[in-house]
Amino acid sequence: MAMMLDESEASDAELIGRAKGGDRGAFGTLLERHYDFVYRAAYRWCGRKADAEDIAQEVCVRLGKAIRDYRGGGAFTTWLYSVTMNAARDMMRKTQRETVKTEAYGVHALISGEAPAESEDPAEALWAAVRQLPDKQRDAVMLVYGEGLSHAAAAEAMAISDTTVSWHIHEAKKRLKTLMRSAGEV
């Protein structure tokens, strides 16, 4: 007698195959299983809870169509991280278009004394500095140190070689030392 696997016990590969075939339950289980990963990656990328939630929701929406394009050559989470980074970059571009309004509000908040207090957490200060790095350096640091991926897995997510990831990490460390010194953190 064949036993049916509960969706929560099914492997990612099984769920992906079923989701590609239009199984909404499998797709929902896959999203539920990986939502925390997507949110955590988005939060590391942007550093703001509300933005991370928006990015995670956007990734969930995008996955409805993108799951059909998943080839399965690497780890699902590596591919999912790429989708998350793309959604975060798209949000950043949209935010940059609205920068004038945001800066005007920030100046007003500072003048009126309504600006939020700066975080004194050294780890948050470091991640804030990481968010100031050039794109490739920031992505390499976030994948390797934020998500704990190997250089090879980070290289796959970024579509570059392992040695290039290592170089980006090396350059990022030099820049971070400078950024942290200028902020008085080191």
Side-chain angles (χ1 to χ4, degrees):
M1 175 164 77
M3 290 181 50
M4 293 290 294
L5 281 179
D6 183 356
E7 283 186 354
S8 63
E9 296 173 12
S11 71
D12 282 353
E14 292 173 75
L15 291 172
I16 292 165
R18 291 173 31 204
K20 282 181 172 185
D23 184 336
R24 290 181 180 191
F27 182 73
T29 300
L30 197 61
L31 284 179
E32 198 174 298
R33 186 177 288 176
H34 294 285
Y35 183 84
D36 289 342
F37 169 80
V38 170
Y39 173 81
R40 187 178 62 248
Y43 182 80
R44 289 226 189 268
W45 203 91
C46 68
R48 290 178 299 280
K49 183 179 178 183
D51 290 346
E53 290 169 350
D54 289 346
I55 293 167
Q57 289 300 312
E58 178 64 22
V59 169
C60 291
V61 170
R62 287 182 183 192
L63 282 180
K65 289 183 180 178
I67 195 76
R68 294 180 192 120
D69 297 330
Y70 177 66
R71 303 276 184 247
F76 178 68
T77 52
T78 302
W79 178 79
L80 187 57
Y81 192 86
S82 296
V83 173
T84 304
M85 283 192 307
N86 288 335
R89 285 187 189 109
D90 290 347
M91 189 184 116
M92 182 183 73
R93 286 185 207 106
K94 180 181 174 188
T95 301
Q96 285 176 342
R97 289 189 297 265
E98 299 172 359
T99 298
V100 173
K101 288 185 252 179
T102 304
E103 287 177 355
Y105 173 76
V107 169
H108 174 70
L110 284 173
I111 291 170
S112 65
E114 298 173 12
E118 291 292 319
S119 171
E120 294 188 24
D121 180 13
E124 185 52 40
L126 178 60
W127 284 112
V130 168
R131 287 187 282 278
Q132 294 177 30
L133 294 171
D135 290 349
K136 295 287 186 179
Q137 290 176 13
R138 180 190 57 238
D139 292 347
V141 168
M142 288 187 172
L143 286 167
V144 173
Y145 294 107
E147 298 304 319
L149 296 180
S150 67
H151 285 217
E156 185 179 337
M158 295 174 68
I160 58 177
S161 72
D162 297 13
T163 54
T164 305
V165 168
S166 298
W167 180 81
H168 284 306
I169 297 271
H170 174 75
E171 291 299 309
K173 286 179 179 179
K174 290 191 311 189
R175 282 184 190 237
L176 285 171
K177 283 181 186 178
T178 304
L179 287 170
M180 297 304 284
R181 274 193 199 111
S182 66
E185 295 289 330
V186 175

